[in-house]
Amino acid sequence: MPRPLGELEDAVMTRVWQWNRPVTVREVLEDLQQERSIAYTTVMTVMDNLHQKGWVRREAEGRAYRYTAVSTRAAYSAALMNEAWSTSDNPAAALVAFFGMMSAEQRDALRDAFRIVGYDDGTAAEPPAESAGRPPAAPSAAPPAAPSAAPSAAPSAEEDSAERGPEPRR
């Protein structure tokens, strides 16, 4: 089960998921700097940490890396919801309370999800035991690729040698 992303990790991953393409530290830095003052080395460290945790994969491009999401935001959210639900001592009560907190739009999305998986009329077969109600594997266990957000315009890809940073220990 993945741990929830920290605030800065989430800000970085949000960009990686939204852009839906390989990104550099410099691109993420320039976008983050529109909201806050942040150092290049801080963003590089966060992206290296996300790589070590299995949230992004990276490929060398010249003297820099390009990072790509390993999982989608939806898979991450599903894993967090599943973990919270599965740790409850009364899962049915937890679901009732959760449903009670939902907005009308969230209830509509839930109904749509039930229709998509075929549970809207009660006639659908149970999913296989190994996937019943479980999201894709945690990031460290190589979750599915294919982020779903649309890409945005890319900042300049010109990078300096510090971008690549240290290789993770294995």
Side-chain angles (χ1 to χ4, degrees):
M1 169 60 211
R3 283 187 9 240
L5 296 171
E7 180 186 341
L8 190 50
E9 288 174 328
D10 186 69
V12 168
M13 283 306 301
T14 294
R15 283 150 179 85
V16 175
W17 282 320
Q18 286 176 341
W19 293 342
N20 193 24
R21 61 173 173 74
V23 300
T24 62
V25 171
R26 174 104 21 231
E27 291 171 318
V28 174
L29 170 73
E30 289 173 357
D31 199 60
L32 284 170
Q33 285 178 330
Q34 294 176 27
E35 299 172 1
R36 63 177 92 185
S37 177
I38 190 166
Y40 179 93
T41 54
T42 301
V43 177
M44 183 176 66
T45 298
V46 169
M47 293 184 81
D48 184 59
N49 289 344
L50 289 167
H51 175 258
Q52 290 180 28
K53 291 177 180 182
W55 284 107
V56 294
R57 71 178 58 90
R58 66 184 180 194
E59 291 187 28
E61 183 177 283
R63 294 173 16 181
Y65 284 117
R66 287 208 173 261
Y67 294 83
T68 307
V70 173
S71 183
T72 63
R73 162 87 65 191
Y76 167 69
S77 297
L80 292 177
M81 289 187 293
N82 186 61
E83 176 68 12
W85 181 54
S86 67
T87 60
S88 172
D89 61 349
N90 187 340
L95 281 176
V96 169
F98 179 66
F99 294 155
M101 295 177 202
M102 291 178 139
S103 67
E105 293 81 19
Q106 290 169 323
R107 288 189 302 273
D108 288 343
L110 180 63
R111 280 191 277 288
D112 290 344
F114 274 120
R115 278 192 288 278
I116 290 168
V117 297
Y119 292 123
D120 57 335
D121 62 2
T123 61
E126 283 293 314
E130 66 274 3
S131 66
R134 290 185 193 87
S140 59
S148 59
S152 68
S156 167
E158 185 172 325
E159 306 294 332
D160 63 34
S161 62
E163 171 110 6
R164 192 158 178 178
E167 274 294 317
R169 293 187 185 123
R170 295 190 192 258

